[in-house]
Amino acid sequence: MKLGVVDFLDERLDVRRIAREFAEHRVPDHVNWLYCFGGITFLCFMVQIATGILLAFYYQPTTASAYTSVLHISDDLPFGVILRSLHAWTANIMIIMVMVHMLRVFFHGAYRPPRELNWVTGVLLFFMTVTFGFSGYLLPMNQLSYWATKVGSEIAGAMPFVGQYIQNFLLGGAKISDATLTRFYAIHVVILPVVLSAFLAAHFYMIRKQGIADPL
Ligand code: HEM
């Protein structure tokens, strides 16, 4: 007798019940298109992970070779320019979508009890999304990257008391160098993806536990 893959997995991992739990979850009647922006933000994040992994195969995080490596991706690799454009455009779209999502949650009053913790998790997700953008901006190491990072780090440096410490920490020294690029790369491809994924898991768990808020 031929045993299907699903039957095989179901016998061992109970996958049908898990799939049913996801698929048969009822969405409240008041949910409309305004509720899709969180999902679109998540979709953007998935695109960023997929395109980012492909870019990491070719990108070289040193001041001497970062710029030439991104040119190589755009000019020499098949679909390279599409890959880079997808990553850059989706980054911008993700930031816009997370802001629209935040506004939707705010104007629906969905931050009220018992969802305060999810709102706070969301605020952290928002800052992480913006930091993703900022850390990614330096990576091509072109003029725009250099000056944006200089301005950004100087803004951090202007903070009272802790500013200089934060600026030094960000740059890995007094000015933009290889150490800065290494730090931004580590933040962009390791720290943020891991931390943002963990916070997203908490965000989704709370949405599932608390359900979607009733209209005001
Ligand atoms: C990476 C960023 C984020 C992703 C992927 C995400 C994803 C989602 C998804 C899929 C939902 C289900 C309903 C909907 O889409 O409207 C949701 C709900 C929610 N999100 Fe987010 N979110 C993110 C950031 C934020 C931010 C920045 C905030 C607020 C500061 C926030 C606060 C909330 C709250 C309070 C809910 C519950 C809404 C309700 O019950 O109506 N989220 N999120």
Side-chain angles (χ1 to χ4, degrees):
M1 193 182 75
K2 195 168 139 258
L3 197 63
V5 178
V6 177
D7 291 329
F8 178 88
L9 291 176
D10 195 38
E11 257 175 35
R12 286 152 186 84
L13 303 169
D14 204 8
V15 288
R16 279 206 177 88
R17 186 186 56 79
I18 297 169
R20 252 198 321 274
E21 260 179 41
F22 272 96
E24 290 175 3
H25 188 73
R26 268 191 67 79
V27 173
D29 290 338
H30 67 271
V31 167
N32 56 28
W33 62 271
L34 288 168
Y35 291 75
C36 72
F37 297 107
I40 297 176
T41 311
F42 181 59
L43 178 67
C44 290
F45 182 55
M46 295 287 99
V47 172
Q48 290 307 83
I49 296 287
T51 53
I53 289 172
L54 294 176
L55 288 170
F57 283 136
Y58 291 94
Y59 174 74
Q60 296 170 5
T62 66
T63 46
S65 51
Y67 184 61
T68 45
S69 75
V70 295
L71 282 191
H72 171 63
I73 295 173
S74 293
D75 297 344
D76 307 329
L77 297 182
F79 307 110
V81 72
I82 296 180
L83 188 64
R84 272 192 72 202
S85 305
L86 255 179
H87 199 73
W89 276 95
T90 310
N92 290 316
I93 296 170
M94 183 170 169
I95 291 175
I96 297 167
M97 289 299 120
V98 76
M99 286 179 353
V100 178
H101 170 58
M102 200 167 163
L103 287 174
R104 193 292 286 167
V105 171
F106 178 77
F107 283 112
H108 279 163
Y111 50 80
R112 291 171 305 159
R115 293 179 182 78
E116 321 91 308
L117 206 56
N118 215 11
W119 173 264
V120 174
T121 311
V123 172
L124 295 174
L125 281 170
F126 173 73
F127 283 121
M128 282 182 238
T129 308
V130 174
T131 312
F132 245 123
F134 180 63
S135 57
Y137 216 71
L138 176 69
L139 301 185
M141 218 47 196
N142 54 25
Q143 284 291 319
L144 209 57
S145 315
Y146 179 85
W147 293 107
T149 307
K150 191 159 169 51
V151 172
S153 61
E154 277 171 12
I155 291 173
M159 265 195 269
F161 309 115
V162 287
Q164 277 308 310
Y165 173 77
I166 294 177
Q167 188 177 4
N168 268 3
F169 173 77
L170 273 179
L171 299 185
K175 56 182 177 51
I176 297 173
S177 65
D178 268 325
T180 319
L181 197 53
T182 311
R183 269 175 200 206
F184 276 50
Y185 190 56
I187 292 171
H188 194 75
V189 308
V190 183
I191 300 172
L192 282 175
V194 170
V195 178
L196 196 139
S197 301
F199 274 82
L200 263 187
H203 199 58
F204 291 157
Y205 176 75
M206 282 187 263
I207 295 165
R208 203 54 200 266
K209 260 285 182 264
Q210 299 164 345
I212 295 290
D214 287 331
L216 280 172

mmCIF file of all heavy atoms in Angstrom, residues 1-30:
data_model
loop_
_atom_site.group_PDB
_atom_site.id
_atom_site.type_symbol
_atom_site.label_atom_id
_atom_site.label_comp_id
_atom_site.label_asym_id
_atom_site.label_seq_id
_atom_site.Cartn_x
_atom_site.Cartn_y
_atom_site.Cartn_z
ATOM 1 N N MET A 1 0.839 -1.202 0.000
ATOM 2 C CA MET A 1 0.000 0.000 0.000
ATOM 3 C C MET A 1 0.880 1.261 0.000
ATOM 4 O O MET A 1 1.843 1.352 0.757
ATOM 5 C CB MET A 1 -0.884 -0.011 1.249
ATOM 6 C CG MET A 1 -1.997 0.999 1.189
ATOM 7 S SD MET A 1 -2.953 0.988 2.705
ATOM 8 C CE MET A 1 -1.869 1.819 3.812
ATOM 9 N N LYS A 2 0.532 2.237 -0.875
ATOM 10 C CA LYS A 2 1.345 3.444 -0.966
ATOM 11 C C LYS A 2 0.955 4.447 0.144
ATOM 12 O O LYS A 2 -0.219 4.769 0.310
ATOM 13 C CB LYS A 2 1.115 4.089 -2.345
ATOM 14 C CG LYS A 2 2.150 5.119 -2.676
ATOM 15 C CD LYS A 2 2.035 5.493 -4.157
ATOM 16 C CE LYS A 2 2.218 6.975 -4.309
ATOM 17 N NZ LYS A 2 1.038 7.767 -4.491
ATOM 18 N N LEU A 3 1.939 4.859 0.915
ATOM 19 C CA LEU A 3 1.658 5.815 1.995
ATOM 20 C C LEU A 3 2.073 7.210 1.533
ATOM 21 O O LEU A 3 3.209 7.431 1.163
ATOM 22 C CB LEU A 3 2.474 5.401 3.226
ATOM 23 C CG LEU A 3 2.041 5.992 4.564
ATOM 24 C CD1 LEU A 3 0.641 5.531 4.921
ATOM 25 C CD2 LEU A 3 3.020 5.591 5.648
ATOM 26 N N GLY A 4 1.133 8.171 1.509
ATOM 27 C CA GLY A 4 1.459 9.530 1.071
ATOM 28 C C GLY A 4 2.368 10.234 2.064
ATOM 29 O O GLY A 4 2.461 9.824 3.227
ATOM 30 N N VAL A 5 3.008 11.292 1.592
ATOM 31 C CA VAL A 5 3.917 12.059 2.456
ATOM 32 C C VAL A 5 3.152 12.635 3.646
ATOM 33 O O VAL A 5 3.597 12.586 4.801
ATOM 34 C CB VAL A 5 4.574 13.209 1.654
ATOM 35 C CG1 VAL A 5 5.476 14.053 2.551
ATOM 36 C CG2 VAL A 5 5.360 12.667 0.479
ATOM 37 N N VAL A 6 1.930 13.160 3.352
ATOM 38 C CA VAL A 6 1.146 13.780 4.423
ATOM 39 C C VAL A 6 0.765 12.730 5.469
ATOM 40 O O VAL A 6 0.883 12.965 6.679
ATOM 41 C CB VAL A 6 -0.111 14.483 3.847
ATOM 42 C CG1 VAL A 6 -0.967 15.053 4.964
ATOM 43 C CG2 VAL A 6 0.300 15.578 2.876
ATOM 44 N N ASP A 7 0.353 11.527 4.971
ATOM 45 C CA ASP A 7 0.008 10.455 5.917
ATOM 46 C C ASP A 7 1.214 10.101 6.784
ATOM 47 O O ASP A 7 1.105 9.922 7.995
ATOM 48 C CB ASP A 7 -0.453 9.206 5.160
ATOM 49 C CG ASP A 7 -1.798 9.452 4.489
ATOM 50 O OD1 ASP A 7 -2.578 10.247 5.046
ATOM 51 O OD2 ASP A 7 -2.050 8.893 3.407
ATOM 52 N N PHE A 8 2.372 10.014 6.106
ATOM 53 C CA PHE A 8 3.618 9.670 6.812
ATOM 54 C C PHE A 8 3.900 10.681 7.933
ATOM 55 O O PHE A 8 4.149 10.323 9.077
ATOM 56 C CB PHE A 8 4.769 9.655 5.794
ATOM 57 C CG PHE A 8 6.117 9.364 6.394
ATOM 58 C CD1 PHE A 8 6.566 8.056 6.546
ATOM 59 C CD2 PHE A 8 6.946 10.405 6.817
ATOM 60 C CE1 PHE A 8 7.811 7.790 7.104
ATOM 61 C CE2 PHE A 8 8.191 10.147 7.377
ATOM 62 C CZ PHE A 8 8.619 8.834 7.523
ATOM 63 N N LEU A 9 3.819 11.993 7.562
ATOM 64 C CA LEU A 9 4.106 13.036 8.556
ATOM 65 C C LEU A 9 3.025 13.087 9.622
ATOM 66 O O LEU A 9 3.303 13.314 10.803
ATOM 67 C CB LEU A 9 4.228 14.400 7.865
ATOM 68 C CG LEU A 9 5.459 14.584 6.970
ATOM 69 C CD1 LEU A 9 5.402 15.935 6.263
ATOM 70 C CD2 LEU A 9 6.737 14.491 7.795
ATOM 71 N N ASP A 10 1.762 12.861 9.188
ATOM 72 C CA ASP A 10 0.645 12.934 10.132
ATOM 73 C C ASP A 10 0.769 11.875 11.221
ATOM 74 O O ASP A 10 0.546 12.145 12.404
ATOM 75 C CB ASP A 10 -0.673 12.774 9.360
ATOM 76 C CG ASP A 10 -1.851 13.212 10.209
ATOM 77 O OD1 ASP A 10 -1.690 14.216 10.943
ATOM 78 O OD2 ASP A 10 -2.908 12.555 10.167
ATOM 79 N N GLU A 11 1.154 10.654 10.800
ATOM 80 C CA GLU A 11 1.307 9.573 11.775
ATOM 81 C C GLU A 11 2.342 9.913 12.835
ATOM 82 O O GLU A 11 2.214 9.555 13.996
ATOM 83 C CB GLU A 11 1.778 8.305 11.042
ATOM 84 C CG GLU A 11 0.668 7.310 10.824
ATOM 85 C CD GLU A 11 1.144 6.142 9.997
ATOM 86 O OE1 GLU A 11 2.322 5.726 10.135
ATOM 87 O OE2 GLU A 11 0.348 5.650 9.186
ATOM 88 N N ARG A 12 3.393 10.601 12.400
ATOM 89 C CA ARG A 12 4.499 10.882 13.330
ATOM 90 C C ARG A 12 4.381 12.219 14.047
ATOM 91 O O ARG A 12 4.764 12.346 15.203
ATOM 92 C CB ARG A 12 5.828 10.838 12.564
ATOM 93 C CG ARG A 12 6.228 9.424 12.239
ATOM 94 C CD ARG A 12 7.074 9.297 11.016
ATOM 95 N NE ARG A 12 7.280 7.894 10.699
ATOM 96 C CZ ARG A 12 6.416 7.163 9.997
ATOM 97 N NH1 ARG A 12 5.300 7.707 9.528
ATOM 98 N NH2 ARG A 12 6.644 5.888 9.781
ATOM 99 N N LEU A 13 3.848 13.222 13.326
ATOM 100 C CA LEU A 13 3.896 14.592 13.896
ATOM 101 C C LEU A 13 2.520 15.239 14.055
ATOM 102 O O LEU A 13 2.423 16.409 14.423
ATOM 103 C CB LEU A 13 4.774 15.492 13.009
ATOM 104 C CG LEU A 13 6.211 15.015 12.798
ATOM 105 C CD1 LEU A 13 6.891 15.821 11.703
ATOM 106 C CD2 LEU A 13 7.007 15.144 14.089
ATOM 107 N N ASP A 14 1.462 14.500 13.734
ATOM 108 C CA ASP A 14 0.116 15.041 13.908
ATOM 109 C C ASP A 14 -0.085 16.329 13.089
ATOM 110 O O ASP A 14 -0.727 17.280 13.564
ATOM 111 C CB ASP A 14 -0.110 15.314 15.408
ATOM 112 C CG ASP A 14 -1.600 15.311 15.754
ATOM 113 O OD1 ASP A 14 -2.401 14.946 14.881
ATOM 114 O OD2 ASP A 14 -1.937 15.701 16.881
ATOM 115 N N VAL A 15 0.500 16.361 11.854
ATOM 116 C CA VAL A 15 0.485 17.618 11.095
ATOM 117 C C VAL A 15 -0.918 18.049 10.662
ATOM 118 O O VAL A 15 -1.180 19.247 10.510
ATOM 119 C CB VAL A 15 1.406 17.563 9.843
ATOM 120 C CG1 VAL A 15 2.866 17.599 10.222
ATOM 121 C CG2 VAL A 15 1.077 16.381 8.959
ATOM 122 N N ARG A 16 -1.840 17.075 10.479
ATOM 123 C CA ARG A 16 -3.190 17.471 10.033
ATOM 124 C C ARG A 16 -3.881 18.317 11.091
ATOM 125 O O ARG A 16 -4.537 19.294 10.789
ATOM 126 C CB ARG A 16 -4.025 16.227 9.719
ATOM 127 C CG ARG A 16 -3.744 15.652 8.357
ATOM 128 C CD ARG A 16 -4.941 14.878 7.802
ATOM 129 N NE ARG A 16 -4.653 14.416 6.467
ATOM 130 C CZ ARG A 16 -4.064 13.267 6.161
ATOM 131 N NH1 ARG A 16 -3.688 12.437 7.126
ATOM 132 N NH2 ARG A 16 -3.834 12.931 4.918
ATOM 133 N N ARG A 17 -3.714 17.912 12.360
ATOM 134 C CA ARG A 17 -4.360 18.680 13.433
ATOM 135 C C ARG A 17 -3.771 20.103 13.492
ATOM 136 O O ARG A 17 -4.507 21.077 13.595
ATOM 137 C CB ARG A 17 -4.152 17.974 14.788
ATOM 138 C CG ARG A 17 -4.921 18.623 15.934
ATOM 139 C CD ARG A 17 -4.584 17.997 17.272
ATOM 140 N NE ARG A 17 -3.158 18.024 17.566
ATOM 141 C CZ ARG A 17 -2.494 19.087 18.014
ATOM 142 N NH1 ARG A 17 -3.126 20.219 18.219
ATOM 143 N NH2 ARG A 17 -1.191 19.024 18.259
ATOM 144 N N ILE A 18 -2.436 20.185 13.347
ATOM 145 C CA ILE A 18 -1.782 21.510 13.413
ATOM 146 C C ILE A 18 -2.274 22.377 12.246
ATOM 147 O O ILE A 18 -2.645 23.540 12.424
ATOM 148 C CB ILE A 18 -0.245 21.358 13.371
ATOM 149 C CG1 ILE A 18 0.221 20.571 14.595
ATOM 150 C CG2 ILE A 18 0.440 22.715 13.332
ATOM 151 C CD1 ILE A 18 1.666 20.114 14.561
ATOM 152 N N ALA A 19 -2.332 21.787 11.030
ATOM 153 C CA ALA A 19 -2.790 22.537 9.845
ATOM 154 C C ALA A 19 -4.237 22.968 10.033
ATOM 155 O O ALA A 19 -4.614 24.099 9.688
ATOM 156 C CB ALA A 19 -2.647 21.678 8.594
ATOM 157 N N ARG A 20 -5.071 22.064 10.613
ATOM 158 C CA ARG A 20 -6.488 22.405 10.846
ATOM 159 C C ARG A 20 -6.617 23.575 11.804
ATOM 160 O O ARG A 20 -7.415 24.477 11.595
ATOM 161 C CB ARG A 20 -7.228 21.176 11.400
ATOM 162 C CG ARG A 20 -8.192 20.540 10.397
ATOM 163 C CD ARG A 20 -9.208 19.633 11.064
ATOM 164 N NE ARG A 20 -8.681 18.834 12.143
ATOM 165 C CZ ARG A 20 -8.096 17.645 12.007
ATOM 166 N NH1 ARG A 20 -7.930 17.123 10.804
ATOM 167 N NH2 ARG A 20 -7.664 16.968 13.046
ATOM 168 N N GLU A 21 -5.788 23.547 12.850
ATOM 169 C CA GLU A 21 -5.845 24.631 13.846
ATOM 170 C C GLU A 21 -5.571 25.993 13.204
ATOM 171 O O GLU A 21 -6.173 26.994 13.541
ATOM 172 C CB GLU A 21 -4.820 24.384 14.953
ATOM 173 C CG GLU A 21 -5.469 23.800 16.189
ATOM 174 C CD GLU A 21 -4.470 23.530 17.285
ATOM 175 O OE1 GLU A 21 -3.583 24.365 17.486
ATOM 176 O OE2 GLU A 21 -4.606 22.468 17.931
ATOM 177 N N PHE A 22 -4.625 26.014 12.234
ATOM 178 C CA PHE A 22 -4.310 27.265 11.540
ATOM 179 C C PHE A 22 -5.420 27.650 10.588
ATOM 180 O O PHE A 22 -5.921 28.772 10.595
ATOM 181 C CB PHE A 22 -2.995 27.120 10.762
ATOM 182 C CG PHE A 22 -1.797 27.458 11.589
ATOM 183 C CD1 PHE A 22 -1.078 26.465 12.238
ATOM 184 C CD2 PHE A 22 -1.406 28.772 11.749
ATOM 185 C CE1 PHE A 22 0.026 26.777 13.023
ATOM 186 C CE2 PHE A 22 -0.305 29.105 12.533
ATOM 187 C CZ PHE A 22 0.407 28.100 13.166
ATOM 188 N N ALA A 23 -5.840 26.667 9.760
ATOM 189 C CA ALA A 23 -6.764 26.970 8.663
ATOM 190 C C ALA A 23 -8.177 27.241 9.156
ATOM 191 O O ALA A 23 -8.911 28.028 8.569
ATOM 192 C CB ALA A 23 -6.766 25.816 7.658
ATOM 193 N N GLU A 24 -8.560 26.597 10.274
ATOM 194 C CA GLU A 24 -9.953 26.723 10.696
ATOM 195 C C GLU A 24 -10.153 27.806 11.750
ATOM 196 O O GLU A 24 -11.217 27.925 12.332
ATOM 197 C CB GLU A 24 -10.453 25.363 11.213
ATOM 198 C CG GLU A 24 -10.614 24.359 10.087
ATOM 199 C CD GLU A 24 -10.986 22.983 10.591
ATOM 200 O OE1 GLU A 24 -11.168 22.818 11.813
ATOM 201 O OE2 GLU A 24 -11.082 22.073 9.751
ATOM 202 N N HIS A 25 -9.101 28.595 11.966
ATOM 203 C CA HIS A 25 -9.230 29.663 12.968
ATOM 204 C C HIS A 25 -10.172 30.734 12.421
ATOM 205 O O HIS A 25 -9.979 31.239 11.326
ATOM 206 C CB HIS A 25 -7.849 30.254 13.234
ATOM 207 C CG HIS A 25 -7.843 31.223 14.365
ATOM 208 N ND1 HIS A 25 -7.961 30.832 15.675
ATOM 209 C CD2 HIS A 25 -7.753 32.570 14.382
ATOM 210 C CE1 HIS A 25 -7.936 31.894 16.448
ATOM 211 N NE2 HIS A 25 -7.811 32.966 15.687
ATOM 212 N N ARG A 26 -11.205 31.055 13.177
ATOM 213 C CA ARG A 26 -12.199 32.012 12.682
ATOM 214 C C ARG A 26 -11.704 33.455 12.783
ATOM 215 O O ARG A 26 -11.150 33.864 13.798
ATOM 216 C CB ARG A 26 -13.494 31.872 13.489
ATOM 217 C CG ARG A 26 -14.469 30.897 12.864
ATOM 218 C CD ARG A 26 -15.814 31.017 13.547
ATOM 219 N NE ARG A 26 -16.441 32.308 13.269
ATOM 220 C CZ ARG A 26 -17.076 32.589 12.143
ATOM 221 N NH1 ARG A 26 -17.164 31.699 11.178
ATOM 222 N NH2 ARG A 26 -17.629 33.776 11.972
ATOM 223 N N VAL A 27 -11.883 34.191 11.689
ATOM 224 C CA VAL A 27 -11.542 35.612 11.695
ATOM 225 C C VAL A 27 -12.832 36.363 12.015
ATOM 226 O O VAL A 27 -13.875 36.061 11.437
ATOM 227 C CB VAL A 27 -11.009 36.036 10.302
ATOM 228 C CG1 VAL A 27 -10.811 37.537 10.243
ATOM 229 C CG2 VAL A 27 -9.723 35.308 9.990
ATOM 230 N N PRO A 28 -12.801 37.323 12.962
ATOM 231 C CA PRO A 28 -14.042 38.031 13.306
ATOM 232 C C PRO A 28 -14.653 38.729 12.084
ATOM 233 O O PRO A 28 -13.925 39.115 11.167
ATOM 234 C CB PRO A 28 -13.584 39.065 14.336
ATOM 235 C CG PRO A 28 -12.246 38.651 14.774
ATOM 236 C CD PRO A 28 -11.647 37.797 13.725
ATOM 237 N N ASP A 29 -15.983 38.899 12.111
ATOM 238 C CA ASP A 29 -16.680 39.464 10.945
ATOM 239 C C ASP A 29 -16.270 40.897 10.616
ATOM 240 O O ASP A 29 -16.335 41.316 9.477
ATOM 241 C CB ASP A 29 -18.207 39.428 11.187
ATOM 242 C CG ASP A 29 -18.700 37.994 11.158
ATOM 243 O OD1 ASP A 29 -17.989 37.152 10.560
ATOM 244 O OD2 ASP A 29 -19.753 37.717 11.756
ATOM 245 N N HIS A 30 -15.848 41.660 11.653
ATOM 246 C CA HIS A 30 -15.529 43.069 11.380
ATOM 247 C C HIS A 30 -14.177 43.255 10.687
ATOM 248 O O HIS A 30 -13.826 44.371 10.298
ATOM 249 C CB HIS A 30 -15.563 43.892 12.678
ATOM 250 C CG HIS A 30 -14.463 43.524 13.632
ATOM 251 N ND1 HIS A 30 -14.595 42.527 14.576
ATOM 252 C CD2 HIS A 30 -13.211 43.994 13.789
ATOM 253 C CE1 HIS A 30 -13.472 42.427 15.274
ATOM 254 N NE2 HIS A 30 -12.612 43.303 14.802
#
